[in-house]
């Protein structure tokens, strides 16, 4: 069986150009061209006459076809899939909670989600506010915080308005392109944020888009400034997945089977020539194109696509980096012993962090080998002296009045001498908890707020399990 996979636009070009005309099928079985949507991918197959329709997956009927004729008078019987499925019936019959009601537990818990990027940290406290902030320590105990509120929950929340949910049920569900798939979302508006000087001090505002993902834990997928001081925040949550209109589902590829009629080749002659020309054009540029795509993806997804070393083996995955299949206890012990190191960075410099040992900055080149700079080395005594003048352990106060450790900071000094300052390099390592559906994900990034004085951010679910063991100096231990 020979196949040609096409999107709807290319399919229309094929059916409208290479295949020039359509006639009614014999016995009244012919059909007009179906309405095509970018949400539904199609693939044209040229199976020949010795072929039987699939009995699983998308439904087909022998009488659901069109006869297509090319400009060269080649004729094909194209059997179309019946795209409608049981999901539509389920959506029509759904009588369960509205999307607002499904999200209500998240808002009543007063829980917050965080996303740490190279400079900014984003805090979404569901049903309350969105905050963008950056912390910078000065000498001594003083901490400078630069912050903006991107939106506050409006006085009348759509989540508590049954009439609003009734209106939402009557409206078409909005969708957003998430990783190439049009995905339904439930919008929550937040306004009255920090005044925006670029817009005559109008308040900042945001739309929080809640998207169903069955394995998520209310993570912030993305934060984007779509226009000046107006933002879109995408949140992944499993709560919406109980509603059929918001349910996570993969878009199946719908096959169209075009069989040649007597006197016609298996595949249109012009299409064969077009495909051969495309292959010839692609050949000289294929290697370069793949490298460019790989490089672009590394930059775009730098916050989640990180290389991490386990022992001497380096692992790379797409999406979320899995650093090991070790058990949590083994992972924590090896991390705290310094034998389990984190790596990060997607530019010229890469970074290696081994807890209680060192922070290195390095570059590997096939011709010149490895260039390495010691950014900082661990000394417990020096760190304790540093902790007397700086905040080594920062708390987060929960709604119930309980305190939990939010971030731990460690000082690594005595790095290589800096050419600009003639002083040893030094780095403050900030260890933060990062909730994730992957228990072994890690994000590592480095900032240089002053010449040869660095901040290394490390966040991972592994750290979540040990933050509360921090003593007054921020030193961690294996939890009981």
């Amino acid at each position: 069986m020979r196949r040609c996979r096409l999107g709807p636009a290319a399919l229309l070009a094929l059916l409208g150009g290479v295949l020039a005309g359509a006639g009614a099928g014999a016995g009244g079985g012919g059909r007009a061209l179906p309405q095509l949507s970018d949400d539904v991918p199609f693939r044209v197959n040229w199976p020949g006459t010795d072929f039987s329709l699939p009995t699983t997956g998308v439904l087909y009927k022998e009488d659901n076809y069109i006869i297509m004729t090319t400009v060269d008078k080649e004729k094909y019987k194209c059997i179309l899939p019946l795209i409608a499925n049981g999901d539509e019936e389920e959506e029509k019959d759904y009588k369960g909670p509205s999307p607002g009601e499904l999200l209500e537990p998240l808002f009543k818990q007063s829980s917050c989600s965080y996303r740490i990027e190279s400079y900014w940290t984003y805090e979404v406290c569901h049903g309350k506010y969105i905050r963008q902030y950056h912390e910078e320590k000065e000498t001594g105990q003083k901490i400078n915080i630069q912050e903006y509120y991107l939106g506050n929950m409006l006085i009348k929340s759509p989540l508590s308005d049954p009439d609003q949910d009734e209106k939402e049920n009557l409206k078409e569900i909005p969708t957003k392109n998430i990783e190439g798939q049009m995905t339904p979302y439930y919008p929550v508006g937040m306004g009255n944020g920090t005044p925006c000087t670029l817009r005559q001090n109008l308040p900042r505002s945001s739309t929080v888009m809640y998207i169903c993902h069955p394995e998520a834990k209310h993570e912030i997928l993305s934060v984007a400034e779509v226009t000046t001081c107006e933002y879109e925040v995408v949140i992944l949550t499993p709560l919406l997945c109980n509603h059929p209109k918001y349910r996570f589902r993969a878009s199946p590829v719908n096959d169209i089977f075009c069989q040649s009629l007597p006197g016609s080749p298996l595949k249109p002659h012009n299409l064969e020539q077009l495909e051969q020309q495309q292959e010839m054009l692609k050949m000289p540029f294929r290697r370069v194109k793949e490298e460019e795509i790989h490089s672009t993806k590394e930059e775009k997804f730098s916050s989640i696509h990180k290389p991490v070393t386990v022992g001497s083996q380096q692992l790379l995955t797409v999406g979320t980096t899995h650093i090991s299949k070790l058990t949590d206890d083994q992972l924590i012990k090896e991390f705290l012993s310094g034998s389990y190191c984190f790596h990060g960075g997607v530019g010229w410099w890469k970074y290696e962090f081994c807890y209680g040992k060192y922070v290195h900055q390095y570059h590997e080149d096939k011709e010149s080998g490895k260039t390495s700079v010691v950014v900082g080395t661990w000394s417990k005594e020096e760190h304790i002296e540093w902790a007397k003048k700086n905040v080594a352990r920062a708390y987060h106060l929960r709604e119930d009045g309980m305190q939990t450790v939010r971030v731990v900071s460690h000082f690594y000094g005595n790095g290589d001498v800096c050419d600009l300052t003639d002083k040893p390099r030094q780095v403050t390592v900030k260890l933060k908890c990062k909730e994730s559906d992957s228990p072994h994900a890690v994000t590592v990034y480095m900032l240089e707020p002053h010449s040869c004085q660095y901040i290394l951010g490390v966040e991972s679910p592994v750290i979540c399990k040990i933050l509360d063991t921090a003593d007054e100096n921020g030193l961690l231990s294996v939890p009981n």
Side-chain angles (χ1 to χ4, degrees), residues 257-383:
F257 298 100
C258 290
Q259 295 175 286
S260 58
L261 296 178
S264 299
L266 179 66
K267 199 174 192 178
H269 177 68
N270 284 347
L271 181 60
E272 289 269 21
Q273 284 188 325
L274 178 64
E275 289 178 347
Q276 288 172 6
Q277 290 170 5
Q278 288 176 335
E279 284 300 314
M280 290 178 67
L281 288 172
K282 274 195 259 182
M283 288 298 289
F285 304 106
R286 180 169 295 161
R287 178 178 294 275
V288 176
K289 187 176 179 182
E290 286 175 355
E291 289 173 356
E292 288 174 353
I293 289 171
H294 178 69
S295 174
T296 303
K297 285 184 176 179
E298 277 197 334
E299 293 296 330
K300 186 175 180 182
F301 301 111
S302 61
S303 62
I304 52 175
H305 294 183
K306 302 290 183 184
V308 177
T309 294
V310 183
S312 60
Q313 183 181 7
Q314 191 176 74
L315 302 180
L316 278 170
T317 63
V318 176
T320 304
T321 300
H322 290 73
I323 53 182
S324 172
K325 293 184 178 179
L326 298 172
T327 65
D328 288 346
D329 288 344
Q330 287 176 306
L331 193 60
I332 290 168
K333 286 177 182 176
E334 292 200 14
F335 171 70
L336 292 175
S337 71
S339 62
Y340 193 96
C341 301
F342 291 161
H343 287 233
V346 294
W348 202 81
W349 287 112
K350 303 291 190 296
Y351 312 108
E352 179 184 28
F353 167 59
C354 297
Y355 179 89
K357 289 188 175 181
Y358 57 77
V359 177
H360 285 181
Q361 177 177 271
Y362 65 93
H363 173 72
E364 290 182 299
D365 188 272
K366 289 180 180 179
E367 294 180 2
S368 57
K370 184 174 181 179
T371 304
S372 184
V373 176
V374 179
V375 179
T377 56
W378 175 253
S379 165
K380 183 177 178 181
E381 292 74 21
E382 288 187 9
H383 166 75

Side-chain angles (χ1 to χ4, degrees), residues 200-271:
Q200 292 77 48
N201 283 329
L202 285 173
R204 286 170 166 80
S205 62
S206 298
T207 300
V208 185
M209 302 175 173
Y210 288 92
I211 287 175
C212 156
H213 193 294
E215 298 176 1
K217 293 182 180 177
H218 319 301
E219 294 98 335
I220 303 173
L221 178 67
S222 63
V223 180
E225 188 173 7
V226 288
T227 59
T228 303
C229 296
E230 292 185 1
Y231 305 85
E232 284 183 355
V233 182
V234 179
I235 305 286
L236 303 179
T237 176
L239 298 178
L240 277 181
C241 298
N242 290 326
H243 197 301
K245 289 186 179 180
Y246 294 88
R247 194 164 292 158
F248 177 85
R249 62 170 72 97
S251 296
V253 177
N254 294 275
D255 286 298
I256 295 176
F257 298 100
C258 290
Q259 295 175 286
S260 58
L261 296 178
S264 299
L266 179 66
K267 199 174 192 178
H269 177 68
N270 284 347
L271 181 60

